[in-house]
Amino acid sequence: MELPVRYVSTQDILENCPVHAVWEITLACNLKCHHCGSRAGKRRPDELSTAECLDIVQQLARLGTREVTLIGGEAYLRPDWTTIVRAIRDAGMMCTLQTGGLSLSDKRIREAAEAGLQAAGVSIDGLRDLHDRLRGVPGSFTAAFDALRRLRAHGITTSVNTQITTMVLPQLRRLMELFIDVGAKNWQVQLTVAMGRAADHPEFLLQPYQMLELMPLLADLYQAAAPRGLLLQPGNNIGYFGPYESLLRGSGMEDVHWTSCTAGRNALGIEADGTIKGCPSLATATYAGGNIRDMTLEDIWRMTPELAFARTKTRDELWGFCRTCYYAEVCTGGCTWTADSLLGRRGNNPYCHHRALELAKHNVRERIVQVERAPGQSFDHGRFELVLESLNGEVIPSPQPACELYELSLIARRDSVGSHAAAQEVSAQARRKIPFLELCRGCNRHVFPGTEVCPHCDGDIQQLARTYDANLATARQAYQRLLALLQAI
């Protein structure tokens, strides 16, 4: 089976290869999205020239980048965007587009297809009324679906992207049906993050405890959509490590799970003025490594600490619940963008399925409350605080951080189930930067290699595996007998 271009190999991880670059080629936009992290609208006054863009293409190719996704603003509002598409393809890299789809005319799509554009994702964030309200332009819902149809007609593979807000949750199933009807192949979902205009609308943001509702829903949608040709895929800020981890993140492959933030490791962000970040969503003020007008792309990638932070991150940099978490060495705090935008500091991400499940065991949950508004600049954020409360919503009066109410029990539980061999394996994996885990057959949650008793369901790992293998063998035999009977008819 041919792997996707964006697939990150063991060698990519070890060599910190920027496999995927997301490139904002202009900040000009014809939508007025109320949840836009970059507060897009007008082009930057010092956006790169065509010649400078073509030079970046060559530098990306030399670094080993295999896919470049063009974004904005709205990428096609830049007059030379198809010139950039053609250069990316001529350099041997895959070129894709993320768009809102408004005014993505047949002429624009035809020219992009001729230049070599291979795939396009269209953002659709709710049914008609909700989408048009969020996007700030009446008719943008219809325009998005029209764009999907036109893209397909020109042979461009189509996908959809949906930001998960509190309002869209009850609409996801109906959206799935519409996406299948229009022929989309992939559906990426990600949480709306408290950055830019979204920080001005805290009512849009899911509460951390809603992961208990969201993750089973996404798993159900995945299983309903996959047989009908639509693959649901979670973005990097959705997870982590609940019973649906491999189903959603690995499309059912058991050895696939979250392995830490990829910013500056295998992902790269480029802004329209040449600013380089490890991830396009990260705040420019604190995560910009430099500008290609001042340094080569390779020097920024290899040498700047603003891009290198995720390559060396360990448990010691985590705080709150994440520091005490069973998966700390592997996850290292989940999505940097989400945590930093929310709490002003990376390393403690409350939007985690495992975390919500563990809190619920202690009859508590977390809620976010905005305490400082965003200043109103691109990629800015305000500040939120975490409130610990009972499952019925009563605030728990305690001066302690939320994690301290259960960290001792979690640490004791983790120590009791981990063997010396498991600890050695984790250490070796940390050195290799490839911390792969195994699946418990009792609860479908991941455990460290060598674990004897599952820390999540208390099951005997080896016995559960033997029972699973025996049941699987029985099922396969029954399947073969059924095939033989059908062939005999």
Side-chain angles (χ1 to χ4, degrees), residues 384-407:
F384 289 72
E385 288 184 352
L386 289 171
V387 174
L388 192 70
E389 58 187 23
S390 66
L391 293 180
N392 63 7
E394 296 179 0
V395 175
I396 298 173
S398 171
Q400 297 176 314
C403 68
E404 293 184 6
L405 294 179
Y406 43 74
E407 70 174 346

Side-chain angles (χ1 to χ4, degrees), residues 363-430:
N363 298 311
V364 293
R365 68 185 192 183
E366 287 174 313
R367 179 165 53 86
I368 58 167
V369 177
Q370 189 174 40
V371 295
E372 182 179 322
R373 293 185 61 83
Q377 303 167 353
S378 292
F379 297 104
D380 64 350
H381 57 83
R383 188 168 61 85
F384 289 72
E385 288 184 352
L386 289 171
V387 174
L388 192 70
E389 58 187 23
S390 66
L391 293 180
N392 63 7
E394 296 179 0
V395 175
I396 298 173
S398 171
Q400 297 176 314
C403 68
E404 293 184 6
L405 294 179
Y406 43 74
E407 70 174 346
L408 293 179
S409 65
L410 287 176
I411 292 172
R413 190 175 181 83
R414 183 170 185 271
D415 289 346
S416 69
V417 300
S419 66
H420 177 64
Q424 288 181 321
E425 178 64 18
V426 171
S427 176
Q429 289 172 346

